[in-house]
Amino acid sequence: MAIHKATSVRGDSMLSASWDQNLPDVGSSRRKKPRRWRDKFREAFRGVKLGVRGHSSFFVHFFFAALALTAALVLQCDLVEWCLVTGCIGLVITAELFNSSIETLFHGLDAETKGRIHGCLDIAAGAVLVAGLTAAVIGVLVFGRHIVSILHVGET
């Protein structure tokens, strides 16, 4: 193993040729111009559009989201219940977008790599399932109370 002298007689830093190859050339590199917020939002909206367009399961999610929002409106939910309902909708759509992004990455891989990481697709689909079941349980708790009071179940 070679030991490299770090300091020259003059006190300057001296790096070996192999060490220099691993360091970026600081003098010639330019700083990237920071992206503007509107560009970041435009890219994010484009990502949502790509995720929604490419996967048919969003139709099911949007159907149930519309159903939940309609139920919240008809049953005159309070602010906390609206927050729960919209939070669940956001949770499920976010999980589905992550699932869609993993599926998109997966389809771009070679066959050997696909074989090694096929479980990632199952995990992502499982995340959507857990989010959907969580939303369903919260929906039953929020809407069930209203429906029971409308039907006068349990009153004597």
PDB file of all heavy atoms in Angstrom, residues 59-78 81-90 92-93 132 134-140 142-144 146-147:
ATOM      1  N   PHE A  59     -59.313   4.840 -11.741  1.00  0.00           N
ATOM      2  CA  PHE A  59     -60.751   4.989 -11.946  1.00  0.00           C
ATOM      3  C   PHE A  59     -61.510   4.528 -10.706  1.00  0.00           C
ATOM      4  O   PHE A  59     -62.437   5.193 -10.244  1.00  0.00           O
ATOM      5  CB  PHE A  59     -61.216   4.205 -13.180  1.00  0.00           C
ATOM      6  CG  PHE A  59     -62.700   4.240 -13.376  1.00  0.00           C
ATOM      7  CD1 PHE A  59     -63.312   5.359 -13.919  1.00  0.00           C
ATOM      8  CD2 PHE A  59     -63.502   3.176 -12.980  1.00  0.00           C
ATOM      9  CE1 PHE A  59     -64.696   5.415 -14.077  1.00  0.00           C
ATOM     10  CE2 PHE A  59     -64.876   3.218 -13.137  1.00  0.00           C
ATOM     11  CZ  PHE A  59     -65.470   4.340 -13.692  1.00  0.00           C
ATOM     12  N   VAL A  60     -61.110   3.397 -10.157  1.00  0.00           N
ATOM     13  CA  VAL A  60     -61.749   2.862  -8.948  1.00  0.00           C
ATOM     14  C   VAL A  60     -61.545   3.820  -7.777  1.00  0.00           C
ATOM     15  O   VAL A  60     -62.485   4.125  -7.033  1.00  0.00           O
ATOM     16  CB  VAL A  60     -61.190   1.463  -8.612  1.00  0.00           C
ATOM     17  CG1 VAL A  60     -61.733   0.951  -7.290  1.00  0.00           C
ATOM     18  CG2 VAL A  60     -61.479   0.493  -9.738  1.00  0.00           C
ATOM     19  N   HIS A  61     -60.335   4.322  -7.627  1.00  0.00           N
ATOM     20  CA  HIS A  61     -60.048   5.244  -6.517  1.00  0.00           C
ATOM     21  C   HIS A  61     -60.846   6.537  -6.652  1.00  0.00           C
ATOM     22  O   HIS A  61     -61.388   7.046  -5.663  1.00  0.00           O
ATOM     23  CB  HIS A  61     -58.557   5.547  -6.444  1.00  0.00           C
ATOM     24  CG  HIS A  61     -57.715   4.352  -6.146  1.00  0.00           C
ATOM     25  ND1 HIS A  61     -57.919   3.544  -5.051  1.00  0.00           N
ATOM     26  CD2 HIS A  61     -56.669   3.821  -6.810  1.00  0.00           C
ATOM     27  CE1 HIS A  61     -57.039   2.571  -5.044  1.00  0.00           C
ATOM     28  NE2 HIS A  61     -56.266   2.718  -6.109  1.00  0.00           N
ATOM     29  N   PHE A  62     -60.926   7.078  -7.857  1.00  0.00           N
ATOM     30  CA  PHE A  62     -61.678   8.310  -8.055  1.00  0.00           C
ATOM     31  C   PHE A  62     -63.178   8.086  -7.866  1.00  0.00           C
ATOM     32  O   PHE A  62     -63.871   8.955  -7.347  1.00  0.00           O
ATOM     33  CB  PHE A  62     -61.392   8.929  -9.424  1.00  0.00           C
ATOM     34  CG  PHE A  62     -60.036   9.575  -9.509  1.00  0.00           C
ATOM     35  CD1 PHE A  62     -59.223   9.356 -10.607  1.00  0.00           C
ATOM     36  CD2 PHE A  62     -59.572  10.401  -8.504  1.00  0.00           C
ATOM     37  CE1 PHE A  62     -57.972   9.939 -10.687  1.00  0.00           C
ATOM     38  CE2 PHE A  62     -58.325  10.996  -8.568  1.00  0.00           C
ATOM     39  CZ  PHE A  62     -57.521  10.757  -9.668  1.00  0.00           C
ATOM     40  N   PHE A  63     -63.670   6.927  -8.260  1.00  0.00           N
ATOM     41  CA  PHE A  63     -65.082   6.608  -8.041  1.00  0.00           C
ATOM     42  C   PHE A  63     -65.405   6.607  -6.548  1.00  0.00           C
ATOM     43  O   PHE A  63     -66.367   7.240  -6.110  1.00  0.00           O
ATOM     44  CB  PHE A  63     -65.434   5.255  -8.676  1.00  0.00           C
ATOM     45  CG  PHE A  63     -66.823   4.789  -8.328  1.00  0.00           C
ATOM     46  CD1 PHE A  63     -67.928   5.344  -8.955  1.00  0.00           C
ATOM     47  CD2 PHE A  63     -67.019   3.821  -7.355  1.00  0.00           C
ATOM     48  CE1 PHE A  63     -69.215   4.930  -8.623  1.00  0.00           C
ATOM     49  CE2 PHE A  63     -68.296   3.406  -7.021  1.00  0.00           C
ATOM     50  CZ  PHE A  63     -69.402   3.960  -7.655  1.00  0.00           C
ATOM     51  N   PHE A  64     -64.594   5.892  -5.765  1.00  0.00           N
ATOM     52  CA  PHE A  64     -64.842   5.833  -4.324  1.00  0.00           C
ATOM     53  C   PHE A  64     -64.570   7.170  -3.641  1.00  0.00           C
ATOM     54  O   PHE A  64     -65.231   7.510  -2.651  1.00  0.00           O
ATOM     55  CB  PHE A  64     -64.049   4.699  -3.677  1.00  0.00           C
ATOM     56  CG  PHE A  64     -64.679   3.353  -3.901  1.00  0.00           C
ATOM     57  CD1 PHE A  64     -64.121   2.445  -4.774  1.00  0.00           C
ATOM     58  CD2 PHE A  64     -65.856   3.007  -3.254  1.00  0.00           C
ATOM     59  CE1 PHE A  64     -64.705   1.218  -4.998  1.00  0.00           C
ATOM     60  CE2 PHE A  64     -66.459   1.780  -3.468  1.00  0.00           C
ATOM     61  CZ  PHE A  64     -65.887   0.879  -4.341  1.00  0.00           C
ATOM     62  N   ALA A  65     -63.646   7.951  -4.157  1.00  0.00           N
ATOM     63  CA  ALA A  65     -63.401   9.287  -3.611  1.00  0.00           C
ATOM     64  C   ALA A  65     -64.628  10.170  -3.824  1.00  0.00           C
ATOM     65  O   ALA A  65     -65.072  10.878  -2.909  1.00  0.00           O
ATOM     66  CB  ALA A  65     -62.175   9.910  -4.261  1.00  0.00           C
ATOM     67  N   ALA A  66     -65.197  10.121  -5.035  1.00  0.00           N
ATOM     68  CA  ALA A  66     -66.407  10.898  -5.320  1.00  0.00           C
ATOM     69  C   ALA A  66     -67.568  10.422  -4.452  1.00  0.00           C
ATOM     70  O   ALA A  66     -68.344  11.241  -3.934  1.00  0.00           O
ATOM     71  CB  ALA A  66     -66.777  10.793  -6.795  1.00  0.00           C
ATOM     72  N   LEU A  67     -67.679   9.118  -4.263  1.00  0.00           N
ATOM     73  CA  LEU A  67     -68.719   8.553  -3.411  1.00  0.00           C
ATOM     74  C   LEU A  67     -68.561   9.028  -1.961  1.00  0.00           C
ATOM     75  O   LEU A  67     -69.541   9.431  -1.315  1.00  0.00           O
ATOM     76  CB  LEU A  67     -68.669   7.026  -3.486  1.00  0.00           C
ATOM     77  CG  LEU A  67     -69.798   6.251  -2.848  1.00  0.00           C
ATOM     78  CD1 LEU A  67     -71.114   6.536  -3.566  1.00  0.00           C
ATOM     79  CD2 LEU A  67     -69.482   4.762  -2.886  1.00  0.00           C
ATOM     80  N   ALA A  68     -67.343   9.020  -1.458  1.00  0.00           N
ATOM     81  CA  ALA A  68     -67.084   9.459  -0.081  1.00  0.00           C
ATOM     82  C   ALA A  68     -67.361  10.950   0.086  1.00  0.00           C
ATOM     83  O   ALA A  68     -67.958  11.366   1.083  1.00  0.00           O
ATOM     84  CB  ALA A  68     -65.642   9.140   0.304  1.00  0.00           C
ATOM     85  N   LEU A  69     -66.947  11.756  -0.888  1.00  0.00           N
ATOM     86  CA  LEU A  69     -67.198  13.195  -0.795  1.00  0.00           C
ATOM     87  C   LEU A  69     -68.693  13.503  -0.866  1.00  0.00           C
ATOM     88  O   LEU A  69     -69.189  14.381  -0.144  1.00  0.00           O
ATOM     89  CB  LEU A  69     -66.439  13.936  -1.891  1.00  0.00           C
ATOM     90  CG  LEU A  69     -64.917  13.925  -1.750  1.00  0.00           C
ATOM     91  CD1 LEU A  69     -64.266  14.519  -2.997  1.00  0.00           C
ATOM     92  CD2 LEU A  69     -64.479  14.668  -0.497  1.00  0.00           C
ATOM     93  N   THR A  70     -69.406  12.775  -1.715  1.00  0.00           N
ATOM     94  CA  THR A  70     -70.860  12.953  -1.805  1.00  0.00           C
ATOM     95  C   THR A  70     -71.535  12.553  -0.494  1.00  0.00           C
ATOM     96  O   THR A  70     -72.425  13.256  -0.010  1.00  0.00           O
ATOM     97  CB  THR A  70     -71.427  12.124  -2.975  1.00  0.00           C
ATOM     98  OG1 THR A  70     -70.775  12.533  -4.177  1.00  0.00           O
ATOM     99  CG2 THR A  70     -72.921  12.311  -3.112  1.00  0.00           C
ATOM    100  N   ALA A  71     -71.100  11.448   0.083  1.00  0.00           N
ATOM    101  CA  ALA A  71     -71.662  11.000   1.360  1.00  0.00           C
ATOM    102  C   ALA A  71     -71.388  12.023   2.459  1.00  0.00           C
ATOM    103  O   ALA A  71     -72.267  12.312   3.278  1.00  0.00           O
ATOM    104  CB  ALA A  71     -71.096   9.639   1.740  1.00  0.00           C
ATOM    105  N   ALA A  72     -70.193  12.577   2.486  1.00  0.00           N
ATOM    106  CA  ALA A  72     -69.859  13.587   3.494  1.00  0.00           C
ATOM    107  C   ALA A  72     -70.726  14.829   3.336  1.00  0.00           C
ATOM    108  O   ALA A  72     -71.144  15.446   4.320  1.00  0.00           O
ATOM    109  CB  ALA A  72     -68.382  13.955   3.396  1.00  0.00           C
ATOM    110  N   LEU A  73     -71.017  15.191   2.105  1.00  0.00           N
ATOM    111  CA  LEU A  73     -71.863  16.347   1.837  1.00  0.00           C
ATOM    112  C   LEU A  73     -73.309  16.070   2.249  1.00  0.00           C
ATOM    113  O   LEU A  73     -73.934  16.876   2.948  1.00  0.00           O
ATOM    114  CB  LEU A  73     -71.780  16.694   0.350  1.00  0.00           C
ATOM    115  CG  LEU A  73     -72.402  18.005  -0.099  1.00  0.00           C
ATOM    116  CD1 LEU A  73     -71.692  19.172   0.556  1.00  0.00           C
ATOM    117  CD2 LEU A  73     -72.312  18.128  -1.612  1.00  0.00           C
ATOM    118  N   VAL A  74     -73.834  14.920   1.835  1.00  0.00           N
ATOM    119  CA  VAL A  74     -75.228  14.572   2.118  1.00  0.00           C
ATOM    120  C   VAL A  74     -75.454  14.376   3.622  1.00  0.00           C
ATOM    121  O   VAL A  74     -76.474  14.807   4.175  1.00  0.00           O
ATOM    122  CB  VAL A  74     -75.633  13.305   1.335  1.00  0.00           C
ATOM    123  CG1 VAL A  74     -76.965  12.752   1.813  1.00  0.00           C
ATOM    124  CG2 VAL A  74     -75.680  13.602  -0.152  1.00  0.00           C
ATOM    125  N   LEU A  75     -74.488  13.747   4.283  1.00  0.00           N
ATOM    126  CA  LEU A  75     -74.636  13.466   5.714  1.00  0.00           C
ATOM    127  C   LEU A  75     -74.227  14.653   6.594  1.00  0.00           C
ATOM    128  O   LEU A  75     -74.256  14.553   7.811  1.00  0.00           O
ATOM    129  CB  LEU A  75     -73.822  12.227   6.089  1.00  0.00           C
ATOM    130  CG  LEU A  75     -74.279  10.926   5.436  1.00  0.00           C
ATOM    131  CD1 LEU A  75     -73.301   9.809   5.735  1.00  0.00           C
ATOM    132  CD2 LEU A  75     -75.687  10.558   5.895  1.00  0.00           C
ATOM    133  N   GLN A  76     -73.854  15.758   5.980  1.00  0.00           N
ATOM    134  CA  GLN A  76     -73.487  16.992   6.673  1.00  0.00           C
ATOM    135  C   GLN A  76     -72.420  16.742   7.740  1.00  0.00           C
ATOM    136  O   GLN A  76     -72.599  17.040   8.922  1.00  0.00           O
ATOM    137  CB  GLN A  76     -74.719  17.656   7.287  1.00  0.00           C
ATOM    138  CG  GLN A  76     -75.748  18.044   6.257  1.00  0.00           C
ATOM    139  CD  GLN A  76     -77.022  18.614   6.866  1.00  0.00           C
ATOM    140  OE1 GLN A  76     -77.238  18.520   8.070  1.00  0.00           O
ATOM    141  NE2 GLN A  76     -77.848  19.197   6.027  1.00  0.00           N
ATOM    142  N   CYS A  77     -71.313  16.217   7.287  1.00  0.00           N
ATOM    143  CA  CYS A  77     -70.199  15.938   8.194  1.00  0.00           C
ATOM    144  C   CYS A  77     -69.610  17.234   8.736  1.00  0.00           C
ATOM    145  O   CYS A  77     -69.656  18.272   8.072  1.00  0.00           O
ATOM    146  CB  CYS A  77     -69.118  15.148   7.461  1.00  0.00           C
ATOM    147  SG  CYS A  77     -69.586  13.451   7.099  1.00  0.00           S
ATOM    148  N   ASP A  78     -69.071  17.136   9.949  1.00  0.00           N
ATOM    149  CA  ASP A  78     -68.431  18.318  10.531  1.00  0.00           C
ATOM    150  C   ASP A  78     -66.988  18.437  10.015  1.00  0.00           C
ATOM    151  O   ASP A  78     -66.529  17.617   9.219  1.00  0.00           O
ATOM    152  CB  ASP A  78     -68.492  18.280  12.063  1.00  0.00           C
ATOM    153  CG  ASP A  78     -67.739  17.107  12.669  1.00  0.00           C
ATOM    154  OD1 ASP A  78     -66.880  16.517  11.987  1.00  0.00           O
ATOM    155  OD2 ASP A  78     -68.020  16.774  13.837  1.00  0.00           O
ATOM    156  N   GLU A  81     -64.598  15.442  10.513  1.00  0.00           N
ATOM    157  CA  GLU A  81     -64.960  14.333   9.632  1.00  0.00           C
ATOM    158  C   GLU A  81     -64.544  14.611   8.194  1.00  0.00           C
ATOM    159  O   GLU A  81     -64.056  13.721   7.497  1.00  0.00           O
ATOM    160  CB  GLU A  81     -66.464  14.055   9.729  1.00  0.00           C
ATOM    161  CG  GLU A  81     -66.858  13.508  11.100  1.00  0.00           C
ATOM    162  CD  GLU A  81     -68.355  13.490  11.322  1.00  0.00           C
ATOM    163  OE1 GLU A  81     -69.072  14.346  10.737  1.00  0.00           O
ATOM    164  OE2 GLU A  81     -68.815  12.645  12.094  1.00  0.00           O
ATOM    165  N   TRP A  82     -64.707  15.860   7.747  1.00  0.00           N
ATOM    166  CA  TRP A  82     -64.245  16.232   6.411  1.00  0.00           C
ATOM    167  C   TRP A  82     -62.727  16.049   6.304  1.00  0.00           C
ATOM    168  O   TRP A  82     -62.217  15.582   5.287  1.00  0.00           O
ATOM    169  CB  TRP A  82     -64.617  17.676   6.078  1.00  0.00           C
ATOM    170  CG  TRP A  82     -65.964  17.809   5.464  1.00  0.00           C
ATOM    171  CD1 TRP A  82     -67.123  18.189   6.087  1.00  0.00           C
ATOM    172  CD2 TRP A  82     -66.315  17.555   4.106  1.00  0.00           C
ATOM    173  NE1 TRP A  82     -68.158  18.188   5.189  1.00  0.00           N
ATOM    174  CE2 TRP A  82     -67.696  17.807   3.965  1.00  0.00           C
ATOM    175  CE3 TRP A  82     -65.603  17.143   2.986  1.00  0.00           C
ATOM    176  CZ2 TRP A  82     -68.363  17.644   2.761  1.00  0.00           C
ATOM    177  CZ3 TRP A  82     -66.268  16.990   1.788  1.00  0.00           C
ATOM    178  CH2 TRP A  82     -67.633  17.242   1.687  1.00  0.00           C
ATOM    179  N   CYS A  83     -62.023  16.429   7.346  1.00  0.00           N
ATOM    180  CA  CYS A  83     -60.561  16.258   7.349  1.00  0.00           C
ATOM    181  C   CYS A  83     -60.193  14.782   7.262  1.00  0.00           C
ATOM    182  O   CYS A  83     -59.266  14.412   6.530  1.00  0.00           O
ATOM    183  CB  CYS A  83     -59.951  16.882   8.599  1.00  0.00           C
ATOM    184  SG  CYS A  83     -60.009  18.677   8.618  1.00  0.00           S
ATOM    185  N   LEU A  84     -60.897  13.942   7.991  1.00  0.00           N
ATOM    186  CA  LEU A  84     -60.630  12.505   7.934  1.00  0.00           C
ATOM    187  C   LEU A  84     -60.906  11.935   6.543  1.00  0.00           C
ATOM    188  O   LEU A  84     -60.112  11.162   6.005  1.00  0.00           O
ATOM    189  CB  LEU A  84     -61.465  11.767   8.981  1.00  0.00           C
ATOM    190  CG  LEU A  84     -61.013  11.929  10.436  1.00  0.00           C
ATOM    191  CD1 LEU A  84     -62.071  11.382  11.383  1.00  0.00           C
ATOM    192  CD2 LEU A  84     -59.686  11.232  10.646  1.00  0.00           C
ATOM    193  N   VAL A  85     -62.030  12.318   5.968  1.00  0.00           N
ATOM    194  CA  VAL A  85     -62.406  11.798   4.648  1.00  0.00           C
ATOM    195  C   VAL A  85     -61.415  12.252   3.580  1.00  0.00           C
ATOM    196  O   VAL A  85     -60.910  11.436   2.794  1.00  0.00           O
ATOM    197  CB  VAL A  85     -63.853  12.211   4.287  1.00  0.00           C
ATOM    198  CG1 VAL A  85     -64.172  11.899   2.835  1.00  0.00           C
ATOM    199  CG2 VAL A  85     -64.845  11.522   5.212  1.00  0.00           C
ATOM    200  N   THR A  86     -61.122  13.538   3.534  1.00  0.00           N
ATOM    201  CA  THR A  86     -60.185  14.036   2.519  1.00  0.00           C
ATOM    202  C   THR A  86     -58.767  13.523   2.770  1.00  0.00           C
ATOM    203  O   THR A  86     -58.024  13.261   1.817  1.00  0.00           O
ATOM    204  CB  THR A  86     -60.185  15.573   2.428  1.00  0.00           C
ATOM    205  OG1 THR A  86     -59.880  16.118   3.717  1.00  0.00           O
ATOM    206  CG2 THR A  86     -61.520  16.091   1.941  1.00  0.00           C
ATOM    207  N   GLY A  87     -58.391  13.352   4.031  1.00  0.00           N
ATOM    208  CA  GLY A  87     -57.082  12.779   4.345  1.00  0.00           C
ATOM    209  C   GLY A  87     -56.964  11.346   3.858  1.00  0.00           C
ATOM    210  O   GLY A  87     -55.922  10.939   3.328  1.00  0.00           O
ATOM    211  N   CYS A  88     -58.020  10.585   4.018  1.00  0.00           N
ATOM    212  CA  CYS A  88     -58.021   9.198   3.520  1.00  0.00           C
ATOM    213  C   CYS A  88     -57.945   9.155   2.004  1.00  0.00           C
ATOM    214  O   CYS A  88     -57.234   8.315   1.436  1.00  0.00           O
ATOM    215  CB  CYS A  88     -59.267   8.464   4.012  1.00  0.00           C
ATOM    216  SG  CYS A  88     -59.188   8.023   5.752  1.00  0.00           S
ATOM    217  N   ILE A  89     -58.659  10.035   1.351  1.00  0.00           N
ATOM    218  CA  ILE A  89     -58.596  10.095  -0.114  1.00  0.00           C
ATOM    219  C   ILE A  89     -57.171  10.414  -0.562  1.00  0.00           C
ATOM    220  O   ILE A  89     -56.621   9.765  -1.456  1.00  0.00           O
ATOM    221  CB  ILE A  89     -59.602  11.124  -0.662  1.00  0.00           C
ATOM    222  CG1 ILE A  89     -61.035  10.625  -0.432  1.00  0.00           C
ATOM    223  CG2 ILE A  89     -59.346  11.410  -2.143  1.00  0.00           C
ATOM    224  CD1 ILE A  89     -62.100  11.674  -0.690  1.00  0.00           C
ATOM    225  N   GLY A  90     -56.569  11.388   0.077  1.00  0.00           N
ATOM    226  CA  GLY A  90     -55.185  11.741  -0.240  1.00  0.00           C
ATOM    227  C   GLY A  90     -54.218  10.597   0.023  1.00  0.00           C
ATOM    228  O   GLY A  90     -53.299  10.350  -0.758  1.00  0.00           O
ATOM    229  N   VAL A  92     -54.837   7.317  -0.051  1.00  0.00           N
ATOM    230  CA  VAL A  92     -55.000   6.255  -1.050  1.00  0.00           C
ATOM    231  C   VAL A  92     -54.423   6.684  -2.401  1.00  0.00           C
ATOM    232  O   VAL A  92     -53.719   5.910  -3.059  1.00  0.00           O
ATOM    233  CB  VAL A  92     -56.482   5.850  -1.181  1.00  0.00           C
ATOM    234  CG1 VAL A  92     -56.691   4.890  -2.344  1.00  0.00           C
ATOM    235  CG2 VAL A  92     -56.979   5.224   0.114  1.00  0.00           C
ATOM    236  N   ILE A  93     -54.690   7.907  -2.810  1.00  0.00           N
ATOM    237  CA  ILE A  93     -54.177   8.379  -4.105  1.00  0.00           C
ATOM    238  C   ILE A  93     -52.650   8.476  -4.073  1.00  0.00           C
ATOM    239  O   ILE A  93     -51.972   8.115  -5.042  1.00  0.00           O
ATOM    240  CB  ILE A  93     -54.843   9.704  -4.512  1.00  0.00           C
ATOM    241  CG1 ILE A  93     -56.311   9.422  -4.850  1.00  0.00           C
ATOM    242  CG2 ILE A  93     -54.121  10.355  -5.684  1.00  0.00           C
ATOM    243  CD1 ILE A  93     -57.136  10.640  -5.141  1.00  0.00           C
ATOM    244  N   GLY A 132     -56.139   1.601   1.309  1.00  0.00           N
ATOM    245  CA  GLY A 132     -57.563   1.470   0.971  1.00  0.00           C
ATOM    246  C   GLY A 132     -58.375   0.893   2.117  1.00  0.00           C
ATOM    247  O   GLY A 132     -59.479   1.368   2.406  1.00  0.00           O
ATOM    248  N   THR A 134     -57.588   1.011   5.310  1.00  0.00           N
ATOM    249  CA  THR A 134     -57.613   2.034   6.360  1.00  0.00           C
ATOM    250  C   THR A 134     -58.675   3.087   6.051  1.00  0.00           C
ATOM    251  O   THR A 134     -59.447   3.487   6.931  1.00  0.00           O
ATOM    252  CB  THR A 134     -56.232   2.704   6.500  1.00  0.00           C
ATOM    253  OG1 THR A 134     -55.267   1.698   6.802  1.00  0.00           O
ATOM    254  CG2 THR A 134     -56.228   3.762   7.578  1.00  0.00           C
ATOM    255  N   ALA A 135     -58.732   3.516   4.809  1.00  0.00           N
ATOM    256  CA  ALA A 135     -59.737   4.493   4.396  1.00  0.00           C
ATOM    257  C   ALA A 135     -61.141   3.925   4.557  1.00  0.00           C
ATOM    258  O   ALA A 135     -62.064   4.635   4.987  1.00  0.00           O
ATOM    259  CB  ALA A 135     -59.496   4.930   2.949  1.00  0.00           C
ATOM    260  N   ALA A 136     -61.323   2.653   4.239  1.00  0.00           N
ATOM    261  CA  ALA A 136     -62.642   2.026   4.370  1.00  0.00           C
ATOM    262  C   ALA A 136     -63.076   1.965   5.835  1.00  0.00           C
ATOM    263  O   ALA A 136     -64.234   2.251   6.165  1.00  0.00           O
ATOM    264  CB  ALA A 136     -62.624   0.627   3.757  1.00  0.00           C
ATOM    265  N   VAL A 137     -62.164   1.600   6.722  1.00  0.00           N
ATOM    266  CA  VAL A 137     -62.494   1.541   8.152  1.00  0.00           C
ATOM    267  C   VAL A 137     -62.857   2.929   8.670  1.00  0.00           C
ATOM    268  O   VAL A 137     -63.851   3.100   9.387  1.00  0.00           O
ATOM    269  CB  VAL A 137     -61.320   0.932   8.958  1.00  0.00           C
ATOM    270  CG1 VAL A 137     -61.514   1.124  10.451  1.00  0.00           C
ATOM    271  CG2 VAL A 137     -61.160  -0.537   8.621  1.00  0.00           C
ATOM    272  N   ILE A 138     -62.078   3.927   8.298  1.00  0.00           N
ATOM    273  CA  ILE A 138     -62.387   5.295   8.738  1.00  0.00           C
ATOM    274  C   ILE A 138     -63.719   5.745   8.149  1.00  0.00           C
ATOM    275  O   ILE A 138     -64.522   6.399   8.823  1.00  0.00           O
ATOM    276  CB  ILE A 138     -61.231   6.248   8.378  1.00  0.00           C
ATOM    277  CG1 ILE A 138     -60.016   5.905   9.242  1.00  0.00           C
ATOM    278  CG2 ILE A 138     -61.635   7.712   8.571  1.00  0.00           C
ATOM    279  CD1 ILE A 138     -58.745   6.645   8.887  1.00  0.00           C
ATOM    280  N   GLY A 139     -63.981   5.376   6.896  1.00  0.00           N
ATOM    281  CA  GLY A 139     -65.266   5.716   6.277  1.00  0.00           C
ATOM    282  C   GLY A 139     -66.435   5.089   7.019  1.00  0.00           C
ATOM    283  O   GLY A 139     -67.470   5.735   7.236  1.00  0.00           O
ATOM    284  N   VAL A 140     -66.289   3.824   7.426  1.00  0.00           N
ATOM    285  CA  VAL A 140     -67.358   3.159   8.193  1.00  0.00           C
ATOM    286  C   VAL A 140     -67.570   3.870   9.529  1.00  0.00           C
ATOM    287  O   VAL A 140     -68.714   4.091   9.952  1.00  0.00           O
ATOM    288  CB  VAL A 140     -67.026   1.661   8.403  1.00  0.00           C
ATOM    289  CG1 VAL A 140     -67.918   1.035   9.450  1.00  0.00           C
ATOM    290  CG2 VAL A 140     -67.130   0.919   7.081  1.00  0.00           C
ATOM    291  N   VAL A 142     -66.845   7.063  10.305  1.00  0.00           N
ATOM    292  CA  VAL A 142     -67.379   8.421  10.115  1.00  0.00           C
ATOM    293  C   VAL A 142     -68.828   8.365   9.632  1.00  0.00           C
ATOM    294  O   VAL A 142     -69.719   8.994  10.209  1.00  0.00           O
ATOM    295  CB  VAL A 142     -66.499   9.219   9.116  1.00  0.00           C
ATOM    296  CG1 VAL A 142     -67.196  10.500   8.669  1.00  0.00           C
ATOM    297  CG2 VAL A 142     -65.150   9.537   9.741  1.00  0.00           C
ATOM    298  N   PHE A 143     -69.071   7.608   8.560  1.00  0.00           N
ATOM    299  CA  PHE A 143     -70.408   7.589   7.965  1.00  0.00           C
ATOM    300  C   PHE A 143     -71.370   6.693   8.736  1.00  0.00           C
ATOM    301  O   PHE A 143     -72.571   6.953   8.745  1.00  0.00           O
ATOM    302  CB  PHE A 143     -70.342   7.155   6.501  1.00  0.00           C
ATOM    303  CG  PHE A 143     -69.481   8.055   5.651  1.00  0.00           C
ATOM    304  CD1 PHE A 143     -68.601   7.526   4.733  1.00  0.00           C
ATOM    305  CD2 PHE A 143     -69.560   9.437   5.773  1.00  0.00           C
ATOM    306  CE1 PHE A 143     -67.802   8.340   3.945  1.00  0.00           C
ATOM    307  CE2 PHE A 143     -68.774  10.267   4.999  1.00  0.00           C
ATOM    308  CZ  PHE A 143     -67.889   9.717   4.077  1.00  0.00           C
ATOM    309  N   GLY A 144     -70.857   5.672   9.364  1.00  0.00           N
ATOM    310  CA  GLY A 144     -71.726   4.757  10.118  1.00  0.00           C
ATOM    311  C   GLY A 144     -72.474   5.457  11.234  1.00  0.00           C
ATOM    312  O   GLY A 144     -73.660   5.205  11.460  1.00  0.00           O
ATOM    313  N   HIS A 146     -73.409   8.561  11.341  1.00  0.00           N
ATOM    314  CA  HIS A 146     -74.478   9.370  10.744  1.00  0.00           C
ATOM    315  C   HIS A 146     -75.635   8.496  10.273  1.00  0.00           C
ATOM    316  O   HIS A 146     -76.803   8.843  10.469  1.00  0.00           O
ATOM    317  CB  HIS A 146     -73.939  10.188   9.559  1.00  0.00           C
ATOM    318  CG  HIS A 146     -73.058  11.322   9.975  1.00  0.00           C
ATOM    319  ND1 HIS A 146     -73.547  12.501  10.486  1.00  0.00           N
ATOM    320  CD2 HIS A 146     -71.705  11.445   9.959  1.00  0.00           C
ATOM    321  CE1 HIS A 146     -72.543  13.314  10.759  1.00  0.00           C
ATOM    322  NE2 HIS A 146     -71.406  12.689  10.450  1.00  0.00           N
ATOM    323  N   ILE A 147     -75.316   7.391   9.642  1.00  0.00           N
ATOM    324  CA  ILE A 147     -76.365   6.502   9.128  1.00  0.00           C
ATOM    325  C   ILE A 147     -77.160   5.894  10.266  1.00  0.00           C
ATOM    326  O   ILE A 147     -78.394   5.797  10.192  1.00  0.00           O
ATOM    327  CB  ILE A 147     -75.739   5.421   8.216  1.00  0.00           C
ATOM    328  CG1 ILE A 147     -75.199   6.101   6.950  1.00  0.00           C
ATOM    329  CG2 ILE A 147     -76.748   4.332   7.876  1.00  0.00           C
ATOM    330  CD1 ILE A 147     -74.367   5.196   6.076  1.00  0.00           C
TER     331      ILE A 147
END
